[in-house]
Amino acid sequence: MARPITLHQPKRLEIGAGASARLGAWAENAQRVLIIASEHTIGFAERLGLGNKASIFSDVPAEPDDRALGAAREAARALRPDLVVGLGGGSVLDVAKLVAALWDGSQSLDDVVGPDKVEGRRTRLAQVPTTAGTGSEAGIRALITDSATHSKKAVESPHLLADIAILDPELTWSVPPAVTAATGIDAMAHCVEAFTNIRAHDLIDGYARMGIRLVGKYLARAVENGRDTEARAGMMLASYYGGICLGPVNTAAGHALAYPLGTRLGLPHGLANAIIFPHVLAYNAPVRKEKTAEILQALGLPVFDDESQVLNAAHRFCEDLGVEMRLSAHGADPAALESWAGEAHAIRRLMDNNPRDMSASDVLGIYRATL
Ligand SMILES: [Fe+2]
């Protein structure tokens, strides 16, 4: 409790069915608006009520790298927007943060990698997520893949914070069940990894508990019926709380192990985290007994403290949501696991947050168990 921490949140939060239409009124005095989207989310642009002052850049790929960011910055330089809107999943929102902060300045991406390197931002930023998972709209961090090394670069700055975030469950109606499940587990993983973190803090634990409970209550319903608006709203809120957890505490081994599955195997971020989640929860259980029991209970699972029983219960939770949990079914080559393990183990900014030390061979053991 005594450790000083800082919590940033968007200046304004709108939440509820149809809330995305409120952006137009908020942005009434904006002259030129650049909407950053992907080919999947471009169709939602007209719901934002921005009329013809909005231009759209919809070229953000699933795992954006520095080149994708460069193209988005070019589009912004040509338009000179006074408002940037992120409309999409976590990748789109991260690109929108960096475009809003960097398009009109002299700083390059490499100049701003790390904490507190962004000098400022003059362009307003609105974030409108279309998936419930990353919680990127809540926070001050943006991740971009390095096209040369395939590793993730993290930029962290209060200048990346949204002026307004809008959580409209209707935008997630059409997310397919398997993607709903995987991204929902990712949102939960943000809460769980912050909650069991070596840097855990009571302020963040509160949000983590609320997020995990919402996942326990609503994720299965959202997977079952995509148009269950209450469940979709619950999951958007869980994702937002997860985003708050990412700020001052952040994730730990779970996300470190998931990264190579994204960058090397090409798995979507949510799916990679869903596959890893039960293993890291179980690995950490012996050193976080009470909190692990709380997590299992919040998810509606029987409470165990034996590592293998925790693993089985959490694994079944993910499988029951329809997630294909076997890495081999996603085309993983067993011969590659050792190098991925070395890579994951080297992500010290996350691994050092883990409550139980994990060696490279422990990581390899987990990857093997997921095959
Ligand atoms: Fe995540």
Side-chain angles (χ1 to χ4, degrees):
M1 269 293 254
R3 182 170 72 87
I5 65 167
T6 305
L7 175 61
H8 296 278
Q9 286 195 69
K11 266 187 213 142
R12 176 163 166 171
L13 181 68
E14 298 278 358
I15 176 164
S20 50
R22 294 188 202 160
L23 184 60
W26 179 84
E28 212 173 22
N29 59 353
Q31 307 288 316
R32 290 174 308 281
V33 182
L34 179 62
I35 299 174
I36 308 273
S38 73
E39 53 173 346
H40 306 293
T41 62
I42 188 172
F44 295 127
E46 61 192 32
R47 295 189 187 211
L48 303 176
L50 293 166
N52 55 11
K53 62 187 172 190
S55 304
I56 300 176
F57 176 87
S58 63
D59 242 356
V60 181
E63 293 280 338
D65 60 14
D66 35 277
R67 288 179 294 214
L69 174 65
R73 283 177 77 183
E74 275 309 310
R77 260 183 231 119
L79 183 73
R80 310 189 63 76
D82 50 5
L83 169 63
V84 168
V85 179
L87 176 65
S91 301
V92 166
L93 304 190
D94 282 5
V95 168
K97 285 176 188 174
L98 293 169
V99 168
L102 301 180
W103 77 265
D104 61 344
S106 54
Q107 290 185 290
S108 70
L109 176 61
D110 283 332
D111 289 339
V112 298
V113 171
D116 295 320
K117 303 275 178 59
V118 179
E119 282 163 0
R121 191 184 89 216
R122 280 179 294 174
T123 310
R124 283 190 295 169
L125 175 64
Q127 296 284 38
V128 187
T130 61
T131 61
T134 66
S136 173
E137 71 280 1
I140 62 166
R141 199 175 288 122
L143 296 173
I144 291 284
T145 301
D146 184 325
S147 57
T149 64
H150 292 275
S151 63
K152 291 273 187 180
K153 291 179 171 185
V155 181
E156 188 179 319
S157 163
H159 298 302
L160 300 186
L161 193 65
D163 296 293
I164 183 172
I166 301 184
L167 309 181
D168 183 348
E170 292 183 0
L171 301 190
T172 64
W173 273 354
S174 58
V175 178
V179 180
T180 300
T183 51
I185 293 167
D186 182 38
M188 177 197 23
H190 299 154
C191 297
V192 166
E193 290 180 45
F195 191 53
T196 55
N197 205 290
I198 207 159
R199 298 161 65 222
H201 189 284
D202 286 63
L203 169 68
I204 300 306
D205 283 357
Y207 290 102
R209 285 190 179 97
M210 290 194 288
I212 299 164
R213 268 188 227 126
L214 285 167
V215 171
K217 185 170 179 189
Y218 289 121
L219 181 53
R221 269 173 61 177
V223 169
E224 174 89 7
N225 173 13
R227 289 195 166 236
D228 182 335
T229 306
E230 185 191 333
R232 289 294 198 181
M235 285 309 302
M236 289 207 103
L237 192 53
S239 172
Y240 183 83
Y241 289 152
I244 290 175
C245 292
L246 293 178
V249 177
N250 209 357
T251 56
H255 269 63
L257 267 63
Y259 278 129
L261 307 185
T263 53
R264 299 293 173 187
L265 186 57
L267 294 191
H269 177 83
L271 177 59
N273 275 288
I275 291 170
I276 295 298
F277 165 72
H279 296 272
V280 174
L281 181 73
Y283 183 86
N284 289 337
V287 299
R288 286 292 184 271
K289 283 192 173 128
E290 279 174 29
K291 282 186 162 178
T292 303
E294 249 192 89
I295 292 162
L296 293 170
Q297 206 163 24
L299 295 177
L301 299 171
V303 173
F304 301 109
D305 54 27
D306 171 75
E307 238 178 287
S308 68
Q309 286 175 310
V310 172
L311 173 62
N312 289 339
H315 197 271
R316 203 168 326 115
F317 177 84
C318 298
E319 237 173 16
D320 287 350
L321 291 165
V323 180
E324 173 50 79
M325 297 291 284
R326 291 167 305 145
L327 261 192
S328 54
H330 297 290
D333 172 7
L337 299 185
E338 197 159 347
S339 81
W340 297 351
E343 222 172 278
H345 185 256
I347 307 177
R348 300 316 308 176
R349 71 184 174 89
L350 300 181
M351 289 299 265
D352 288 341
N353 289 344
N354 205 58
R356 184 178 168 196
D357 187 57
M358 196 182 274
S359 68
S361 70
D362 292 328
V363 178
L364 182 59
I366 288 179
Y367 282 152
R368 287 199 173 125
T370 62
L371 273 176

